[in-house]
Amino acid sequence: MCGNGFQSFLVQMQNKGSDEVERLRTKFLSVWHNVKYSWALKSKTSFSRNSPVLLLGKCYHFKAEDDDSPTEACHDPFDEDVMGNVEAFRKDFASRVWLTYREEFPPLPGSSLTSDCGWGCMLRAGQMMLAQALILHFLGRDWTWSGALALQPLDTETWTTTAAKRLVASLEASLQGSPGPSDHGSPPAHFAQAPGSAEEADAHLKDMYHRTLVSWFGDSPSAQLGLHRLVRLGLTMGKQAGDWYGPAVVAHILKKAVEEAMDPGLAGITAYVSQDCTVYSADVIDSHRAPRSGQIDQPLSASTLPDNRAVIILVPVRLGGEKTNPDYFNFAKSILSLEYCIGIIGGKPKQACYFVGFQDDSLIYMDPHYCQSFVDVSTSDFPLQSYHCPSPKKMPFSKMDPSCTIGFYSRSVQDYERIRQELSKVLQPSAKEKYPAFTFVQGHGRDYDLSAGLTPEKREWPFIRDPRRTVTTAGDFVLL
């Protein structure tokens, strides 16, 4: 629709009530974003044959062992003529849970929005990082989805044509006063005993874990970790549906979402957010040991004892001033080389993404800027294909926004002690860096509540020191 046509459309709506105009305006902007983000697909990503690829702690080589060619030519990793670990990388990447913009879901809390296109990318990136933590918790780092290699490459023309048709249909439905989507209920319990051999039963059980995990991120008010739940928690921090969320605020929203989740399957895991770029070891250990009141572990969370929960450790940091300091590039590579790292949420300025690996001087990421239709995850056989991405993307480290949140998964107190020791070595500043990105400190830190009378700046950057605090911490945050 051209500019003059849009103005005429708005003029025609003046005869309707103000509520109707606002509803139609919201609908129009939503479907316009749907069309816009259906154009976002680009050509295939190129990877070097001569450099290793790191993906959340796993290393892949695309060069065959008997290939002595010194060339540095780049190839698409999914082309048949590229040998090495291509298929293994493809399956591993496509097995990560991909959460993107969606449309036509029930209205979000405190608004009439039925799509997060154009503003929800950081929440989606946070969901993807949380999903990776749950994969480690229930399935382990070696798990891959059986349907990963069957995913078809995303077709720009097909999706754009579909989005254009949806634009017309949605506007027509709005003008005719068609009702919006309704809540389709809560995710079901999926754990029926599988028949057959022990191997078949194990594969079936893992498939059920996978499906249930994805259902927790469904776009309905009842989904434990869905967008509706995250937006509702964001309201307590002064964030509205349609606002832009920063990586630090999202870290705190994710923490609350995990803590408040009522599904018994999530009783064996909790989350911790560092304060002032400092991880307080006693607080993390307490999180491991303290049972969640009112919840009882079920078979899904049998990997942890009731008094020994797993902990998702989230560390908001800023790796430079206006731009990411190049001295931190190697640090980011070291972090993404660890299997217990669940990735980094950040991106380009005002454009969030989920970083999962790297090759040479480029980050590998999953992009939430792709609009897909609402999926009813309350059904026992809802399609999983749209929750997995067949196409990795790359971005130079130099374009990375300095504001980000790093995530780790710790299964037990013993696991945390190992992680702390290993990360403390990684965090040792070089002569160039001078200051570590974050630090570990023994003891407890004071509780930090984003909603308790903080300025907008402190809501966005909870690791900036609060002048009211009297506790002295080591390794204060310094902009380089």
Side-chain angles (χ1 to χ4, degrees), residues 11 15 126 135 214 306 311 318 379 413:
V11 170
N15 294 329
I135 286 177
V214 171
V311 178
R318 190 172 180 89
T379 61
V413 173

Side-chain angles (χ1 to χ4, degrees), residues 154-462:
L154 302 175
D155 187 334
T156 305
E157 182 178 358
T158 299
W159 279 86
T160 303
T161 302
T162 302
K165 292 179 179 178
R166 288 200 302 265
L167 170 63
V168 175
S170 297
L171 286 176
E172 289 179 348
S174 296
L175 291 172
Q176 295 171 3
S178 299
S182 59
D183 186 4
H184 292 268
S186 59
H190 297 296
F191 297 99
Q193 180 63 40
S197 66
E199 291 79 9
E200 291 174 340
D202 181 66
H204 175 77
L205 190 61
K206 288 184 177 180
D207 285 344
M208 294 302 98
Y209 288 171
H210 173 213
R211 184 172 293 277
T212 298
L213 191 156
V214 171
S215 75
W216 283 333
F217 295 94
D219 295 305
S220 66
S222 58
Q224 299 291 306
L225 305 171
L227 186 69
H228 292 71
R229 189 68 55 89
L230 302 187
V231 168
R232 180 179 63 79
L233 293 172
L235 292 174
T236 67
M237 303 179 187
K239 290 290 186 179
Q240 305 287 329
D243 290 348
W244 189 82
Y245 296 70
V249 168
V250 168
H252 284 268
I253 291 175
L254 295 178
K255 176 179 182 292
K256 287 191 174 184
V258 173
E259 289 178 340
E260 295 182 7
M262 298 305 295
D263 192 297
L266 291 167
I269 190 167
T270 189
Y272 167 85
V273 180
S274 69
Q275 304 175 46
D276 302 334
C277 290
T278 303
V279 177
Y280 293 91
S281 291
D283 287 338
V284 177
I285 292 173
D286 285 350
S287 296
H288 272 298
R289 289 176 173 166
R292 183 179 296 176
S293 61
Q295 290 186 321
I296 302 175
D297 282 355
Q298 298 294 322
L300 179 60
S301 53
S303 57
T304 58
L305 298 173
D307 62 344
N308 195 15
R309 298 180 302 174
V311 178
I312 301 168
I313 302 171
L314 303 175
V315 186
V317 297
R318 190 172 180 89
L319 305 178
E322 294 183 1
K323 297 182 178 180
T324 297
N325 191 320
D327 292 337
Y328 285 113
F329 293 170
N330 285 334
F331 162 75
K333 292 180 180 181
S334 298
I335 292 296
L336 292 169
S337 300
L338 303 170
E339 285 199 9
Y340 51 82
C341 175
I342 56 174
I344 302 173
I345 58 172
K348 306 174 185 178
K350 298 298 181 181
Q351 187 175 357
C353 58
Y354 172 45
F355 298 119
V356 294
F358 67 92
Q359 184 183 46
D360 295 327
D361 294 323
S362 293
L363 287 153
I364 299 171
Y365 68 96
M366 299 177 72
D367 192 355
H369 299 89
Y370 188 63
C371 185
Q372 302 190 83
S373 297
F374 167 79
V375 173
D376 180 6
V377 298
S378 68
T379 61
S380 60
D381 58 347
F382 68 89
L384 289 164
Q385 286 78 6
S386 67
Y387 292 98
H388 293 275
C389 180
S391 306
K393 289 189 176 183
K394 293 175 73 176
M395 182 185 82
F397 274 93
S398 58
K399 292 186 178 181
M400 178 183 180
D401 190 278
S403 174
C404 58
T405 289
I406 306 170
F408 305 98
Y409 169 78
S410 176
R411 185 173 294 277
S412 64
V413 173
Q414 294 74 21
D415 199 25
Y416 170 71
E417 291 296 345
R418 176 181 64 86
I419 290 171
R420 181 185 63 79
Q421 292 177 10
E422 291 181 2
L423 285 179
S424 294
K425 296 177 182 178
V426 172
L427 289 164
Q428 288 295 328
S430 66
K432 292 182 178 180
E433 290 173 359
K434 298 183 180 179
Y435 301 102
F438 63 93
T439 61
F440 287 86
V441 173
Q442 296 296 329
H444 298 83
R446 292 181 59 183
D447 292 338
Y448 200 97
D449 185 1
L450 276 178
S451 61
L454 299 180
T455 64
E457 181 183 43
K458 290 189 186 289
R459 287 195 181 99
E460 182 62 21
W461 310 117

